Amino acid sequence: MVILILGGSASGKSAFAESAAVKLGGRRLYAATMQPFDSECEARIARHREMRREKQFDTWEIYRGLREAEIPAGYDTVLLECLSNLLANEMYGPEGWAGGNLVPRILEGLSRLAGAAENLVIVSNEVFADGDRYDPETLQYMEFLGELNRRLAARADAVVEVVNGLPVFHKGVI
């Protein structure tokens, strides 16, 4: 089962995703994409890793290159947190953006991840509603994220938007 969970900043999507992954059961892997850039990020990551351990998640740090990565085996449920960070890491990482094939590369990596476990829960951000003007690079990021979200929603068994901590099911059930 592939589940896509969307929501705005501080909407409760991460808590909902963790709860869904726990509910799905089995051995759980948390694919964490937040790259540490400073001591504050490192402290936040350490705190989140400890919270996940309490929920019996193993953590796998994967910042970019999901398509080529060696995916840990033996997990029933994988939670990828979050697609938005993964995309940003790919676009703005030290290796630079690899041109027009970025979305297909990420989707291929997600397909590999889905094939490695019975359940894949993907968290992504909704960043399209504020109406501000952005520079071309940010608009490109938003276009890519929108395309990833649309294509994943079409493939997913369930699509859930979390608004103020409340799940709104757009497709399927968990």
Side-chain angles (χ1 to χ4, degrees):
M1 173 176 262
V2 175
I3 302 165
L4 176 61
I5 299 175
L6 304 161
S9 177
S11 64
K13 65 187 173 297
S14 296
F16 182 82
E18 288 179 13
S19 176
V22 168
K23 180 180 170 183
L24 290 167
R27 190 164 175 231
R28 293 182 288 280
L29 179 67
Y30 200 106
T33 63
M34 183 178 171
Q35 189 169 354
F37 291 106
D38 57 25
S39 60
E40 184 178 324
C41 286
E42 290 172 359
R44 183 176 178 193
I45 289 169
R47 187 176 75 247
H48 287 184
R49 191 177 295 128
E50 185 57 37
M51 289 168 39
R52 291 190 298 264
R53 192 174 300 123
E54 292 171 9
K55 296 177 185 176
Q56 299 179 337
F57 281 96
D58 292 332
T59 298
W60 176 44
E61 305 287 340
I62 179 74
Y63 308 129
R64 65 182 63 78
L66 183 58
R67 183 180 76 171
E68 298 82 21
E70 185 175 328
I71 298 170
Y75 289 92
D76 302 295
T77 300
V78 176
L79 170 57
L80 180 94
E81 172 77 40
C82 79
L83 182 60
S84 315
N85 281 342
L86 183 64
L87 173 60
N89 295 342
E90 291 282 359
M91 286 184 73
Y92 307 117
E95 299 86 18
W97 167 38
N101 67 350
L102 184 57
V103 168
R105 277 192 15 229
I106 292 173
L107 289 170
E108 190 176 323
L110 292 169
S111 291
R112 288 185 62 238
L113 194 57
E118 187 174 328
N119 303 298
L120 173 61
V121 179
I122 302 168
V123 177
S124 187
N125 282 297
E126 194 289 298
V127 296
F128 314 100
D130 66 7
D132 284 342
R133 294 177 192 242
Y134 297 103
D135 61 70
E137 192 172 73
T138 302
L139 289 172
Q140 181 66 75
Y141 169 83
M142 292 170 72
E143 182 180 322
F144 284 161
L145 185 60
E147 183 178 352
L148 285 165
N149 287 346
R150 284 189 306 275
R151 290 176 67 178
L152 285 170
R155 297 177 184 181
D157 299 293
V159 178
V160 184
E161 179 183 10
V162 180
V163 181
N164 297 322
L166 300 173
V168 178
F169 287 81
H170 293 285
K171 180 180 178 182
V173 294
I174 302 174

